[in-house]
Each structure stands twice: as structure tokens, then as C-alpha cells.
């Protein structure tokens, strides 16, 4: 995308009439060009979108333009987390969830959204929720009833009976009549579930292709939907203009999801060399969305929070393999996006993943691009988010230091701007 650079003359001659604010700082990270810009002046229009970027040392603006002065700081695009569960508090695990009424989870999502925004994540993709809490919260934020990031909601996740996306903790005597929402056991049922989730507000489809870590009676390596079933889901979603995220730990399930046309592979923990080659070579882009930080929290706090030992066992078995495969996939050229699985870990701490991404092979710029430019591409929202660029929303964060020298600067964000408005 071309960046419009406004001269002082241009601003004074009428371009300023479209401005409502200007954000200045010492430096700005341009994630599209992969470089740092000195003394940026980012102009924002009344619709909250960026109208121009100039050199703050030479450009001028009128007294009617609000100046947001971030002197001494570095600006970055608002961060994007591609895998969150806003209605899943990290400190409630296992059967402890039965202590709370059904509507409790939606209430907790409000605080989770605030925590993510304060951490600098101005856009999140919520990949599965109960009672469509993510859709309701998105609507509440959009209409001014709550504070939080832009949400790309999935509604209910899709899966097979008895699989990771099904409810597997209760005995048959407590089972609901009929299948759980999102659960399907044929191609026609899966196609219907795609349409149903979209009908009620889903903007991405989430499906569970393999077993999982924090479900009961499933193993991460188990494939739970066939390549053909995954293709039906992907084809149906793409027909409606939606992208698909597949929870897939196991190597065979990952390969089935890639061959089936799924857009993002969530976790990708046990991917093998063949799966990596498929991901690199597929003509339609596929992205790995690997949560390689949350084990630090789950192993330290999980038992105290009520997480069952069987789940902690699976977490231990997968953790290092996933991190090593992150390094291998990145080195091979797999497209990567930032994903934390927030809800498994506290939402406000997800910025800690950047240091792990760098530890396992990325440069700081690549880690930042995974949470900005790459994520926007994977969301198909490059016109809106993912970069400080003309036409996109003025979703911007500021830190004191230089995150390209020390990526841990992103663990404590100093200021958050969403749509041109300072929210922290």
C-alpha cells in the first residue's frame, strides 16, 4: 500500500480540512516496508482512519487539529491476536466451571476484552465461544456499551460428536437433548453448521480437525474430521466470503486441513515435514497460528486453577515439540501469525509471547509483522487493520523503548489508540 506523505503546503491548502487529529512520536515502525521511520506525524480523519503520514519536523497543522503528542515513544500498529477465547477465564479450569451459571461466561468476556485492549491488541479473532458471547460482545463494543478491541467472532466452533469441540466432561445423564451447537457428523450437517454460524453473526468459521489438550477423552494427535469433511467446510465458508480456522495438533489432521483448503492452522503442534512442505507450497495461502507461550502459565498455575492432571499431561507432552516445530516451520518459510490462545492464559499477559517467538527463530520485526501485517492478510482485512498506513483505522500503540532492539517492550504498552481515540 502506498503511504501518502503530506507536505506542509498541502496540509495548509485544504488537506487539513479532513483532519481531526495528528499523532506524533519520535519513531514509527512501518511493518509493510520493514523499517523504522523517524519523527512521524500520523493524520486521522473524522471516521477514525488515517488520511496521511508526514515528517513531524516539517509539516504544519491548524489549531482545529487535535495533537496527540507521543514524544519519546515508538509507534506501532495496533496488535492482532488471531486465537483468543474472551469468555474463558484462565483461572477457572476442569470441573470448576460447574460452579457458575450459564450467563457468567459472557460477563467475564467484558473484562477479558478490556485486558486485551490495554495490552495493545486492538483486533482479536475469537475462535469459538459459548452462547455466541463473542458476537454479543462485538455488538456491545461497536455500540458503545463496552470497551474492547475489534472482534472477529466465530460463534460456536464446529466439530465431530465426542471430539475436541464437543462437550466431553459430563455423563450421558446430563447431556442436552440433541447435539451440542456446532456438532455435526456428516458433510451435509457440517455445511449447515457453517451457514448457521454465519446466519447469527460469525465472521470466521472455527472447526476442530483433531483432538486437543484441554478437552477430555481426546488426544492431540487424533484426526477427528476427514479431509473431505474439512473441504466441505472450507468450500462452503469461502462461498460466503468467510475464512476458516482449524484447530489441528496432529500431523495427519494438519495435512488434511491444508489439503482441504483451510486458511489458518491453529496450534500446528505435531506438524511433520510433509505438512510443512504442503503449507509452503499451497497456492491459496495457509497460515500457521501457533500458541507457543501459554504453557509457561498452564504448567505453573493450571493445577491450582482446577485443570485436570490428564490435561496438564498432554500440555507437557506437546509444549516443547510445538516450539521446536514453530522454529522449523518459520525457517522453511511457512506464513505465520500471532496467536496466544488467551483464555488458556490470562488475556492481559499475551504480549509475553513475542519473546518466545524471537527465542524460537523470528527476528523482532518478523514477530511484530506476525501480529500486524500477516494477521491482517490472514483475516482478509488489509484495508482496515495491520499497519499504520493511509486508509486503515488509526489503531496505534506506543512504547517507550525500541521493540526492534528489545521485543519485550511489547509486554508493557504505554499508550493505546483505537480509531484515532486514546483508550489508554
Amino acid at each position: 500500500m502506498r503511504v501518502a506523505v503530506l507536505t506542509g503546503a498541502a496540509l495548509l491548502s485544504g488537506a487539513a480540512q479532513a483532519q481531526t487529529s495528528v499523532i506524533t512520536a519520535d519513531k514509527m515502525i512501518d511493518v509493510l516496508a520493514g523499517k523504522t521511520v523517524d519523527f512521524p506525524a500520523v493524520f486521522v480523519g473524522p471516521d477514525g482512519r488515517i488520511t496521511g503520514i508526514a515528517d513531524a519536523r516539517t509539516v504544519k497543522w491548524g489549531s482545529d487539529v487535535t495533537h496527540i503528542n507521543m514524544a519519546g515513544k515508538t509507534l506501532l500498529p495496533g496488535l492482532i491476536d488471531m486465537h483468543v477465547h474472551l469468555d474463558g477465564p484462565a483461572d477457572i479450569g476442569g470441573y470448576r466451571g460447574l460452579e457458575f451459571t450459564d450467563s457468567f461466561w459472557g460477563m467475564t468476556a467484558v473484562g477479558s476484552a478490556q485486558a486485551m485492549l490495554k495490552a495493545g491488541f486492538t483486533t482479536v479473532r475469537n475462535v469459538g465461544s459459548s452462547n455466541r458471547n463473542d458476537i454479543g460482545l462485538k455488538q456491545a463494543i461497536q455500540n458503545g456499551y463496552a470497551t474492547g478491541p475489534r472482534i472477529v467472532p466465530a460463534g460456536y466452533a464446529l466439530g465431530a460428536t465426542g471430539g475436541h469441540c464437543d462437550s466431553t466432561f459430563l455423563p450421558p445423564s446430563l447431556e442436552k437433548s440433541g447435539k451440542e451447537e456446532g456438532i455435526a457428523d456428516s458433510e451435509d450437517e457440517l455445511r449447515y453448521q457453517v451457514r448457521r454460524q454465519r446466519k447469527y453473526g460469525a465472521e470466521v468459521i472455527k472447526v476442530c480437525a483433531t483432538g486437543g489438550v484441554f478437552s477430555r477423552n481426546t488426544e492431540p494427535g487424533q484426526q477427528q474430521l476427514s479431509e473431505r469433511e474439512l473441504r466441505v467446510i472450507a468450500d462452503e465458508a469461502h462461498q460466503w466470503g468467510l475464512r476458516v480456522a482449524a484447530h489441528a495438533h496432529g500431523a495427519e489432521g494438519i495435512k488434511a486441513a491444508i489439503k482441504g483448503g483451510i486458511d489458518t492452522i491453529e496450534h500446528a503442534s505435531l506438524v511433520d515435514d510433509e505438512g510443512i512442505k504442503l503449507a509452503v507450497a499451497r497456492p491459496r495461502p495457509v497460515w500457521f497460528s501457533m500458541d507457543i507461550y501459554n504453557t509457561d502459565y498452564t504448567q505453573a498455575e493450571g493445577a491450582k486453577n482446577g485443570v485436570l492432571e490428564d490435561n496438564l499431561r498432554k500440555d507437557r507432552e506437546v509444549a516443547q515439540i510445538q516450539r521446536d516445530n514453530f522454529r522449523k516451520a518459520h525457517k522453511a518459510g511457512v506464513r505465520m501469525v500471532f496467536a496466544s490462545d488467551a483464555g488458556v492464559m490470562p488475556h492481559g499477559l499475551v504480549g509475553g509471547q513475542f519473546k518466545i517467538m524471537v527465542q524460537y527463530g523470528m527476528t523482532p520485526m518478523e514477530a511484530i509483522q506476525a501480529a500486524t501485517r500477516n494477521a491482517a492478510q490472514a483475516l482478509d482485512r488489509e484495508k482496515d487493520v495491520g499497519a499504520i498506513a493511509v486508509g486503515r483505522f488509526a489503531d496505534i500503540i506506543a512504547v517507550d523503548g525500541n521493540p526492534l532492539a528489545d521485543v519485550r517492550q511489547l509486554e508493557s504498552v504505554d499508550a493505546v489508540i483505537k480509531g484515532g481515540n486514546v483508550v489508554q
Side-chain angles (χ1 to χ4, degrees):
M1 175 178 287
R2 295 178 60 190
V3 175
V5 178
L6 304 180
T7 66
L11 284 170
L12 292 174
S13 67
Q17 295 177 7
Q19 323 301 324
T20 60
S21 62
V22 59
I23 306 160
T24 62
D26 282 15
K27 295 184 181 298
M28 179 188 84
I29 295 180
D30 182 347
V31 297
L32 300 180
K35 67 178 184 179
T36 300
V37 176
D38 292 330
F39 300 106
V42 182
F43 289 87
V44 184
D47 61 353
R49 291 182 181 266
I50 297 169
T51 57
I53 301 171
D55 188 324
R57 295 168 294 187
T58 59
V59 75
K60 297 180 181 179
W61 52 86
S63 59
D64 58 335
V65 176
T66 300
H67 182 201
I68 302 173
N69 188 356
M70 296 288 175
K73 300 187 186 301
T74 299
L75 302 181
L76 299 89
L79 304 172
I80 303 170
D81 192 331
M82 292 288 283
H83 191 124
V84 306
H85 299 282
L86 293 173
D87 60 349
D91 59 350
I92 300 175
Y95 288 100
R96 280 204 55 218
L98 299 178
E99 299 174 22
F100 304 95
T101 193
D102 297 336
S103 58
F104 167 80
W105 308 101
M107 303 300 104
T108 68
V110 176
S112 300
Q114 292 174 341
M116 293 220 66
L117 187 61
K118 289 180 180 179
F121 289 83
T122 54
T123 299
V124 299
R125 186 179 65 165
N126 197 90
V127 283
S129 69
S130 299
N131 300 319
R132 298 189 172 86
N133 290 324
D134 54 350
I135 297 169
L137 181 55
K138 174 188 173 70
Q139 294 171 345
I141 292 170
Q142 283 184 326
N143 288 279
Y145 293 99
T147 300
R150 305 180 195 279
I151 298 174
V152 180
Y156 284 89
L158 280 55
T161 295
H164 179 67
C165 284
D166 197 5
S167 178
T168 57
F169 279 87
L170 299 177
S173 59
L174 297 179
E175 188 175 54
K176 294 179 181 178
S177 59
K179 294 180 180 179
E180 296 279 348
E181 179 83 31
I183 301 307
D185 295 298
S186 69
E187 293 174 22
D188 284 344
E189 287 183 358
L190 288 165
R191 185 178 290 109
Y192 166 74
Q193 285 297 335
V194 172
R195 295 176 179 179
R196 180 173 174 81
Q197 299 317 310
R198 178 196 166 276
K199 175 181 178 180
Y200 293 112
E203 296 175 14
V204 63
I205 298 300
K206 164 73 177 298
V207 58
C208 289
T210 75
V213 171
F214 292 102
S215 52
R216 182 174 174 271
N217 194 30
T218 75
E219 289 296 323
Q222 293 172 339
Q223 184 173 343
Q224 297 180 347
L225 289 174
S226 69
E227 178 186 330
R228 184 167 173 173
E229 288 172 319
L230 292 165
R231 186 178 300 280
V232 165
I233 293 168
D235 287 349
E236 187 65 33
H238 294 159
Q239 175 180 284
W240 291 94
L242 302 180
R243 296 198 172 182
V244 185
H247 162 106
H249 285 285
E252 296 307 313
I254 291 168
K255 287 182 283 192
I258 294 171
K259 292 176 183 177
I262 300 298
D263 299 292
T264 64
I265 308 301
E266 309 304 303
H267 312 297
S269 304
L270 306 177
V271 66
D272 60 17
D273 291 345
E274 182 185 0
I276 289 174
K277 290 178 182 178
L278 286 171
V280 172
R282 200 182 77 176
R284 181 185 175 97
V286 60
W287 306 81
F288 278 12
S289 174
M290 300 178 73
D291 52 323
I292 58 171
Y293 177 49
N294 56 50
T295 294
D296 290 0
Y297 175 83
T298 54
Q299 288 301 311
E301 304 292 335
K304 181 179 69 176
N305 296 337
V307 178
L308 303 181
E309 170 54 30
D310 188 51
N311 299 124
L312 294 174
R313 183 264 306 170
K314 291 187 283 185
D315 189 37
R316 288 191 297 271
E317 290 174 353
V318 165
Q320 190 58 49
I321 297 172
Q322 185 191 39
R323 291 180 174 186
D324 292 338
N325 281 334
F326 177 94
R327 185 195 297 277
K328 183 185 294 186
H330 169 256
K331 185 176 181 180
V334 175
R335 299 172 181 88
M336 312 285 279
V337 295
F338 183 102
S340 70
D341 207 0
V344 170
M345 62 172 292
H347 297 81
L349 300 182
V350 298
Q353 178 163 293
F354 286 105
K355 70 178 183 291
I356 306 299
M357 296 168 79
V358 171
Q359 181 181 343
Y360 282 87
M362 284 189 169
T363 66
M365 177 64 83
E366 287 173 331
I368 291 167
Q369 288 172 327
T372 53
R373 181 197 67 181
N374 296 8
Q377 291 173 356
L379 285 173
D380 193 23
R381 302 208 175 184
E382 292 178 88
K383 294 181 180 179
D384 295 326
V385 296
I388 302 175
V390 172
R392 304 201 197 195
F393 287 115
D395 293 354
I396 297 171
I397 64 172
V399 296
D400 279 334
N402 178 8
L404 296 180
D406 178 11
V407 78
R408 297 195 68 176
Q409 291 288 328
L410 297 177
E411 294 177 22
S412 180
V413 172
D414 298 292
V416 180
I417 297 168
K418 180 186 172 191
N421 297 312
V422 179
V423 295
Q424 176 178 309

